[in-house]
Amino acid sequence: MRVIARRLFFYAVTAAIAVTIDFFIPRLIPGNPVQAILSKIQGQLPSKATIHALDLQFGVNTTASLWSQYTHYWNNVLHGNLGVSTMSYPDSVGSLIRAALPYTLGLVGVATLISFVLGTAIGAIVAWKRGSWLDNLLPVVTFFQAAPYFFLAFVAVNLFAIKLGWFPSERASNVADFPAFTWTYISDVLYHAILPALTIVIASAAGWIVGMRNVMVTTMDEDYVLIAAAKGLSKRRVIWYAARNAILPSVSGFSLAIGFIVSGSLLTEIVFSYPGLGNLLLQAVSNNDYQLMQGLFLIITFAVLAANLIADFVYVFLDPRTRQEA
Amino acid sequence: MSGDRLLEIRGLCVDYGHGPDAVHAVTDADVVLHRGEVLGLAGESGSGKSTLVMAATRLLRPPGVITGGAVRLYPAVGTEVDLLEADYDVLRVLRWSQVSLVLQSAMNALNPVMTIRVQLTDALAAHQPHLSRQDRHARAVELLEMVGINSDRLSSHPHELSGGMRQRVMIAMALALQPQVVIMDEPTTALDVVTQREILEELKDLRDQLGFAILFITHDLSLLIEIADAIAVMYAGRLVERAPASALFRAPRHPYTLGLLSSFPPLHGPRTPMTGIPGSPPDLRALPSGCVFHPRCRFAFDKCAVQAPPLAVVGASNDRLAACWLQLGDGPAPAELALREPDLTEPTASANGTQTSSGPTGRPAPTERPAPTGVPERAADHEEPVQQGSTA
């Protein structure tokens, strides 16, 4: 338990530092959101009152001290208030993120999970059948990982969506707004997700396969695997004894990977015009929407920290040696 | 020690790799383990000791290839099985229930992410599926107590135990199914001498209680002399000598054994200078012609470089074998290799002892050598080289 408490404290400190940095970054960037909005509504001359209202809304040009701004910011973050987007004013940053997050989690999250599970399992089997025809799988999957992803994705869209018409080529569903959880809607979303998910899995599985295979090959030479075989355990159980140990480095890798899920697979979402966080981030950057970027960075930071925290716990659960207190 | 055969390895050959670059790790090895016997397998690193038992139990890993031979197991009930021919399901049943294994480093031999309980009971669950969870637990407790470990250690992981405890757990694990043979591959090498002593004593007690046979692999010949009933010595993948432990210690018949024995100082008796063995072990890809030991042997003569000596019975008693032309009637055996054997009760043995020290003339010619059919030490397929040797 003390191990867990210490970990939690460490993550809390890291999160606090992240929030603080997030607070300072926009204050170091030239320009402010009010100017950004004013430049968008060129032509109409804004009144002094309008400008003042915007100033208040975005908290700029105030006379408040930096410290009071900082505490105010913390208060907002803790209440889930991430500000107002300048890009799609007056939508709040929170509402934009909430709209995009499920798509990213659904697409990239599920694809990453499939890729990890599938890749690790294949890696274990390839290692066990070392020297068989399965070894030929490695150069093939490595090719897909090495090929530039956008190229792979464009080829997939061109071939399967445009030429063959098997899958839709863009968007997450045929309906623009979220209607209701009906089967028609869910199956539509799944149908739209298959092709992008497939490209993600194909492009990333090689990493898991090669990683697992290499560790598994050395683990198989361990004495405890030999003993498991000498005990007359079933083949499946002997492989499990090896895989249970070999998977540990892959779990660390997976914890990093789930952190990146939330930032979205930028290229996937661009190629497939998928309305996820990656797309949102791209729009925020191209529209100089610092409020939105700030909110996104914060969410991504929290997601990476949360993912690492979970992975830490899982790792402690999986490897008893890490339970020892230093 | 009864003459009852338990495990019989005949003409086993193991290579690492294929083709001209293959390393001939084990060549034509004959080892017979009797019921309840402690047989020591000694030899320096790379002499093929571990490879021999790994191949015999079919646990050899690639690129190891078994290129010939037979390994017959005679279970307490049922008919003999050739382990090299058996299919995987037959092997699975025999493994651990008949032949179990203890390895050098228990840290590596215990699965680091599983509790002692799981590792003690997994073999029970695989071999005796009728046992309930409580039965398996009870057996695990019993096994741990047998090796002097408190049963509250069942929930521990291997890294929470000391080296000696781990090796005890490993021994308890090996005895879980009351096997006929326990193969121990350098079981005490990684331990300090005090723990080593304790574990050896425990092992002897357990053997007396349970009556299993031990194939004890080590490079430490002095250790074997204490624990083993008989000792087989390996050099460059070949068995060069086999004898009862005390006989081998007092009166070695092979120059290599003599060299090994001269490499450590006796604690009692007169001081003798330690000589060791000149040179280094041969490259297993390009072995010397004839007897593999001849380039390092100070007794070598012309024939040794030409023809490989077979492992053959030396002297009158059938439990002494050596692969050396000096003992096979071709050259005069030097005095060091013809010492009188200790404690031989048969009247012919003492006569034989005096005769050997006087030279090879009194010894029966290889073809006349008594080779009773019931005794497995000599395989018939080795007759030929002996006869060639005696006529050359």
Side-chain angles (χ1 to χ4, degrees):
Chain A
M1 280 320 285
R2 273 189 50 202
V3 179
I4 293 175
R6 196 185 302 159
R7 286 267 136 197
L8 280 174
F9 175 73
F10 171 77
Y11 279 104
V13 169
T14 315
I17 294 171
V19 169
T20 307
I21 293 173
D22 212 42
F23 167 78
F24 280 108
I25 285 176
R27 279 162 180 78
L28 300 174
I29 296 171
N32 69 47
V34 175
Q35 287 169 1
I37 290 193
L38 292 181
S39 65
K40 277 177 87 175
I41 47 171
Q42 281 167 354
Q44 307 163 264
L45 208 60
S47 66
K48 274 248 160 36
T50 313
I51 295 175
H52 184 64
L54 286 171
D55 277 352
L56 281 179
Q57 190 167 20
F58 287 100
V60 291
N61 294 333
T62 57
T63 49
S65 71
L66 196 63
W67 176 252
S68 87
Q69 286 183 45
Y70 181 63
T71 50
H72 188 66
Y73 176 76
W74 260 107
N75 188 42
N76 279 338
V77 166
L78 291 177
H79 287 91
N81 180 3
L82 297 174
V84 180
S85 162
T86 55
M87 175 183 86
S88 41
Y89 182 81
D91 285 347
S92 76
V93 168
S95 71
L96 288 173
I97 291 177
R98 266 193 296 280
L101 191 61
Y103 287 111
T104 289
L105 281 183
L107 175 69
V108 190
V110 171
T112 306
L113 195 67
I114 291 175
S115 174
F116 171 71
V117 172
L118 207 68
T120 308
I122 292 175
I125 295 168
V126 169
W128 193 261
K129 306 244 175 206
R130 180 170 41 158
S132 73
W133 63 271
L134 275 174
D135 283 356
N136 301 324
L137 204 63
L138 291 178
V140 176
V141 292
T142 318
F143 166 77
F144 282 117
Q145 174 127 3
Y149 175 79
F150 68 90
F151 177 73
L152 193 75
F154 274 130
V155 169
V157 168
N158 198 20
L159 187 64
F160 296 108
I162 295 170
K163 286 254 170 63
L164 295 168
W166 292 352
F167 299 104
S169 63
E170 56 177 21
R171 310 241 309 263
S173 65
N174 279 330
V175 269
D177 289 318
F178 175 74
F181 264 117
T182 60
W183 174 243
T184 342
Y185 174 71
I186 293 171
S187 61
D188 190 41
V189 167
L190 287 178
Y191 183 48
H192 277 79
I194 290 176
L195 196 58
L198 212 61
T199 60
I200 296 177
V201 170
I202 285 180
S204 62
W208 302 119
I209 294 177
V210 173
M212 182 65 179
R213 179 196 172 273
N214 290 351
V215 182
M216 183 80 176
V217 162
T218 46
T219 309
M220 271 161 39
D221 283 336
E222 293 288 343
D223 283 349
Y224 51 79
V225 181
L226 183 82
I227 289 287
K231 278 178 174 173
L233 305 182
S234 64
K235 228 169 215 161
R236 191 175 295 193
R237 196 143 171 86
V238 176
I239 298 177
W240 168 244
Y241 270 38
R244 177 70 178 69
N245 283 279
I247 205 170
L248 295 174
S250 287
V251 169
S252 308
F254 185 59
S255 74
L256 291 176
I258 43 180
F260 290 119
I261 288 173
V262 176
S263 62
S265 195
L266 198 64
L267 285 173
T268 316
E269 291 184 2
I270 293 167
V271 171
F272 291 92
S273 312
Y274 209 78
L277 286 181
N279 226 336
L280 197 61
L281 182 61
L282 178 73
Q283 289 172 37
V285 171
S286 42
N287 289 305
N288 289 331
D289 188 342
Y290 292 117
Q291 306 291 304
L292 187 53
M293 276 191 264
Q294 202 179 356
L296 282 168
F297 288 146
L298 204 60
I299 291 294
I300 291 168
T301 312
F302 281 161
V304 171
L305 285 176
N308 275 289
L309 186 65
I310 294 169
D312 265 3
F313 289 160
V314 170
Y315 203 88
V316 165
F317 175 74
L318 285 179
D319 189 349
R321 286 165 294 190
T322 54
R323 278 173 228 163
Q324 267 180 328
E325 301 195 11
Chain B
M1 180 182 75
S2 70
D4 202 1
R5 282 173 298 175
L6 179 55
L7 186 72
E8 189 179 353
I9 301 172
R10 285 286 169 220
L12 188 64
C13 297
V14 185
D15 285 358
Y16 284 106
H18 292 279
D21 281 340
V23 174
H24 306 292
V26 175
T27 309
D28 233 0
D30 286 0
V31 179
V32 178
L33 180 67
H34 300 94
R35 226 166 271 284
E37 179 185 45
V38 180
L39 174 64
L41 194 54
E44 57 202 9
S45 302
S47 61
K49 312 178 294 281
S50 300
T51 303
L52 174 73
V53 293
M54 288 302 150
T57 48
R58 293 270 299 276
L59 288 167
L60 193 69
R61 287 170 156 152
V65 192
I66 301 170
T67 53
V71 179
R72 281 186 283 274
L73 178 73
Y74 300 86
V77 281
T79 50
E80 59 167 90
V81 193
D82 189 334
L83 293 180
L84 299 189
E85 312 257 288
D87 62 30
Y88 189 76
D89 291 330
V90 176
L91 270 184
R92 259 193 67 192
V93 174
L94 293 175
R95 280 178 177 169
W96 224 249
S97 66
Q98 296 288 331
V99 184
S100 65
L101 191 61
V102 174
L103 297 179
Q104 173 177 350
S105 168
M107 184 73 243
N108 303 332
L110 294 171
N111 197 325
V113 298
M114 291 176 179
T115 59
I116 302 300
R117 183 199 318 276
V118 171
Q119 301 189 54
L120 274 173
T121 53
D122 56 0
L124 292 172
H127 288 271
Q128 299 171 353
H130 58 274
L131 287 183
S132 71
R133 204 183 178 81
Q134 286 78 20
D135 289 344
R136 293 203 298 266
H137 175 77
R139 179 71 179 142
V141 171
E142 192 186 350
L143 285 166
L144 275 196
E145 275 165 6
M146 208 162 72
V147 293
I149 294 180
N150 196 312
S151 59
D152 62 10
R153 284 294 177 184
L154 278 176
S155 316
S156 299
H157 285 90
H159 70 272
E160 294 164 317
L161 304 181
S162 72
M165 279 166 99
R166 279 183 218 135
Q167 198 55 280
R168 286 193 176 89
V169 168
M170 200 59 229
I171 291 170
M173 203 181 283
L175 300 175
L177 298 170
Q178 297 183 300
Q180 300 282 313
V181 189
V182 181
I183 293 173
M184 304 199 147
D185 192 351
E186 312 240 7
T188 56
T189 308
L191 304 172
D192 65 83
V193 283
V194 178
T195 318
Q196 178 174 335
R197 162 74 44 192
E198 285 169 9
I199 288 189
L200 284 183
E201 292 300 329
E202 276 174 32
L203 211 51
K204 277 190 208 168
D205 291 345
L206 287 169
R207 203 268 304 232
D208 292 343
Q209 281 170 43
L210 303 170
F212 51 87
I214 302 178
L215 186 53
F216 197 105
I217 303 173
T218 181
H219 59 258
D220 188 351
L221 198 57
S222 55
L223 188 90
L224 280 184
I225 287 154
E226 292 181 45
I227 188 174
D229 299 319
I231 297 176
V233 179
M234 282 189 85
Y235 179 76
R238 286 159 176 78
L239 260 296
V240 295
E241 182 164 7
R242 182 199 154 116
S246 59
L248 184 118
F249 182 53
R250 300 271 166 73
R253 290 291 181 260
H254 194 281
Y256 178 62
T257 317
L258 179 70
L260 284 182
L261 289 169
S262 324
S263 309
F264 60 89
L267 290 178
H268 309 286
R271 284 192 220 174
T272 48
M274 289 192 292
T275 45
I277 305 168
S280 50
D283 179 359
L284 292 172
R285 279 170 304 190
L287 288 166
S289 62
C291 172
V292 281
F293 187 62
H294 87 265
R296 300 173 72 188
C297 179
R298 59 193 164 111
F299 307 111
F301 57 105
D302 298 346
K303 186 176 184 177
C304 299
V306 181
Q307 225 174 356
L311 183 67
V313 172
V314 172
S317 63
N318 285 310
D319 54 6
R320 287 224 71 161
L321 296 100
C324 181
W325 290 124
L326 295 168
Q327 305 290 354
L328 297 174
D330 279 282
E336 297 98 312
L337 295 174
L339 295 172
R340 191 195 194 109
E341 291 191 16
D343 277 336
L344 286 177
T345 46
E346 302 136 76
T348 50
S350 62
N352 180 50
T354 44
Q355 278 165 356
T356 43
S357 51
S358 69
T361 46
R363 201 178 305 120
T367 44
E368 299 162 18
R369 177 174 31 79
T373 45
V375 177
E377 256 84 2
R378 273 289 290 124
D381 51 357
H382 291 308
E383 295 290 350
E384 210 181 356
V386 183
Q387 283 164 346
Q388 282 172 354
S390 56
T391 52

